[in-house]
Amino acid sequence: MAPLRILFISPYIPSPIRVRPYNLIKYLAKLGHEITLLALVPPGEDTASLETLNQWCRSVKTVPLPRWRTLWNATWAVPSGLPLQAAYSRSPEMAELIRTTQQATKFDVVHIEHLRGSELSSAVNGTPIVFDSVDSITLLFEHTCTSGPNWQSRLMARLDLARTRRYEASLLSRYPRVLVTSPKDRDALVSYSTVRGMERFAVLPNGVDLEYFKPMDVLRDSQTLVLTGKMSYHANIAAALDVAQHVMPLVWQQFPEAQFVIAGKDPASEIQTLAADHRIIVTGTVPDLRPYLATSTLAVSPMRYGVGIQNKILEAMAMKTPVITTSKALSSLQVRDGNEILVADTPQAVAEKVVGLFKDQSLARCLGEAGRRYVENYHDWNVTVRNLEVVYRSVMQPVRNGHLQS
């Protein structure tokens, strides 16, 4: 089939940290599709990935989203009823760029990334849109209201919950196809939706770059846990605090020199203070997470709450690093407890699993090898993007009797 001309609109710059849009673009380009990327540059955004994106895309253009604009957008959103997430990226400059780009090139499909990018769709000229919701933000806020790590995150979730639920309920009236990473998120969006049409929600799981995240020929530490991720994200903050404050004291009773490594950018202040204990290492931003995954005994991801697929779990499994997580993180995966992963839902249970792997290196190796096989079978970006290609072509089908053909 002929390659597609894709206009990819993102409210931020895709990057190895923004793993989903980054890899979708990478693997779409590998299939020969012609991609034009238009991306906003929010305050403090890292632009290092632009050089690589330029190699993959026919064209990459960015628009600054200055701090004053985001503050104005938030102020405007309060009386408008628009969710803060959706209002954040409103940009007349980006809207104008979208219009002029479409005037210069005829596109087959438009891909819009995340709830933050949704309001940019108003500038699209009629070309069919695939909207990647990624996760249900309403579902995330519902979890955050009860389990957020601090009062600020819980308050913000409560303030925006009702507006976000109304907004997500209208997605099918705005877009012919909506993507999500997991069946759990799809079911949530279907339950909110004011328009019938479950088949128009497509589950497109995250993949893992198996060429990049692969086992390294290095020795593993015998008593080290690692937690990776963006450490300003409230769900990751909660997970890190739970491990440091409730799991590690139990582990240290048997392994007093065991180390807990928190590896990821922008650690919140409450995470930074954990480093006062010499056995807890807070790295901050690192150029490459793979050495931390490759040398640690195991990875932990005890998520109190979360939506979608936890990329940190897939990346660790791809590196043959055994993973301990909570059952809440498994609803989007097809793994089996005790085979590809270990599941524990209380600090005591997590600590027992950690101690068990410290004592049984053979079990740790078996879990790591099974985890690698799992991601090879279920989370290969090549397969994910082939499925995305099918979704793109489906929205390009002619409209009959006023209904888009599935």
Side-chain angles (χ1 to χ4, degrees):
M1 289 183 283
L4 301 177
R5 291 184 298 275
I6 303 163
L7 178 59
F8 201 109
I9 300 172
S10 177
Y12 34 65
I13 299 174
S15 70
I17 293 175
R18 296 231 170 89
V19 59
R20 184 173 172 90
Y22 187 76
N23 282 286
L24 291 181
I25 290 171
K26 175 181 178 178
Y27 285 84
L28 285 167
K30 281 188 172 184
L31 290 178
H33 299 300
E34 183 180 287
I35 305 158
T36 296
L37 171 63
L38 306 182
L40 285 170
V41 185
E45 186 80 344
D46 185 352
T47 61
S49 61
L50 286 174
E51 182 178 352
T52 300
L53 291 166
N54 269 296
Q55 297 172 18
W56 297 338
C57 298
R58 174 180 178 270
S59 174
V60 176
K61 295 181 180 179
T62 61
V63 173
L65 185 68
R67 178 73 64 186
W68 71 264
R69 172 71 70 185
T70 64
L71 295 174
W72 169 255
N73 288 344
T75 303
W76 173 88
V78 173
S80 75
L82 196 68
L84 296 177
Q85 283 275 335
Y88 181 88
S89 297
R90 292 179 78 249
S91 168
E93 295 80 9
M94 175 58 89
E96 180 60 25
L97 177 59
I98 292 170
R99 286 189 285 267
T100 58
T101 301
Q102 291 173 112
Q103 290 167 4
T105 304
K106 177 177 173 55
F107 294 97
D108 297 305
V109 66
V110 176
H111 183 121
I112 295 182
E113 165 76 5
H114 202 265
L115 188 65
R116 282 198 172 186
S118 58
E119 286 297 291
L120 300 174
S121 65
S122 61
V124 175
N125 65 1
T127 304
I129 297 173
V130 171
F131 175 64
D132 193 356
S133 180
V134 185
D135 309 316
S136 167
I137 304 302
T138 302
L139 185 60
L140 175 62
F141 284 169
E142 288 173 349
H143 295 330
T144 308
C145 283
T146 57
S147 302
N150 50 53
W151 68 266
Q152 295 98 325
S153 63
R154 295 190 293 272
L155 176 62
M156 289 303 298
R158 290 191 183 99
L159 289 175
D160 224 25
L161 176 57
R163 292 187 294 185
T164 304
R165 185 184 290 113
R166 287 194 299 271
Y167 194 87
E168 290 195 327
S170 70
L171 290 179
L172 288 188
S173 64
R174 298 163 62 93
Y175 308 109
R177 285 291 188 283
V178 176
L179 305 176
V180 287
T181 57
S182 77
K184 179 177 67 174
D185 292 86
R186 177 201 57 202
D187 294 345
L189 291 177
V190 168
S191 71
Y192 311 141
S193 181
T194 57
V195 178
R196 295 181 65 182
M198 181 174 179
E199 71 282 354
R200 288 168 55 194
F201 289 103
V203 176
L204 191 78
N206 277 354
V208 61
D209 190 334
L210 297 171
E211 300 168 7
Y212 184 79
F213 288 99
K214 59 185 179 182
M216 301 172 69
D217 188 17
V218 294
L219 292 176
R220 289 191 182 274
D221 298 337
S222 60
Q223 300 176 26
T224 300
L225 294 70
V226 65
L227 172 66
T228 61
K230 186 178 181 182
M231 288 303 155
S232 59
Y233 176 47
H234 49 82
N236 288 339
I237 294 172
L241 292 175
D242 282 347
V243 174
Q245 296 171 350
H246 304 298
V247 174
M248 292 310 299
L250 299 175
V251 173
W252 285 327
Q253 290 176 10
Q254 296 193 51
F255 292 89
E257 294 305 313
Q259 289 192 320
F260 175 38
V261 178
I262 304 171
K265 67 176 296 188
D266 302 332
S269 57
E270 55 262 59
I271 299 300
Q272 296 179 41
T273 59
L274 297 175
D277 188 316
H278 73 278
R279 296 168 297 184
I280 299 178
I281 299 169
V282 179
T283 69
T285 302
V286 295
D288 190 347
L289 288 171
R290 291 174 299 175
Y292 296 92
L293 290 169
T295 57
S296 294
T297 317
L298 58 97
V300 286
S301 184
M303 307 304 290
R304 291 187 203 168
Y305 60 96
V307 293
I309 288 178
Q310 301 298 322
N311 295 315
K312 61 175 68 66
I313 293 177
L314 300 182
E315 291 165 358
M317 294 172 81
M319 300 283 296
K320 289 190 178 180
T321 303
V323 176
I324 300 172
T325 190
T326 49
S327 56
K328 288 184 178 180
L330 293 191
S331 60
S332 304
L333 303 176
Q334 301 179 58
V335 292
R336 297 161 297 171
D337 181 20
N339 289 275
E340 299 90 359
I341 205 164
L342 295 180
V343 179
D345 286 324
T346 66
Q348 180 69 42
V350 173
E352 288 174 358
K353 301 285 187 183
V354 170
V355 169
L357 289 181
F358 281 178
K359 292 179 176 179
D360 191 342
Q361 296 296 309
S362 176
L363 173 60
R365 282 193 299 273
C366 289
L367 282 169
E369 290 167 359
R372 174 70 189 190
R373 289 193 297 271
Y374 167 78
V375 293
E376 288 174 345
N377 291 332
Y378 292 99
H379 295 279
D380 186 337
W381 278 117
N382 287 295
V383 176
T384 298
V385 168
R386 287 288 187 187
N387 291 332
L388 177 59
E389 187 181 40
V390 171
V391 174
Y392 284 163
R393 295 190 187 279
S394 74
V395 300
M396 295 163 53
Q397 298 302 310
V399 174
R400 298 177 184 171
N401 301 322
H403 297 285
L404 185 79
Q405 299 303 293
S406 299

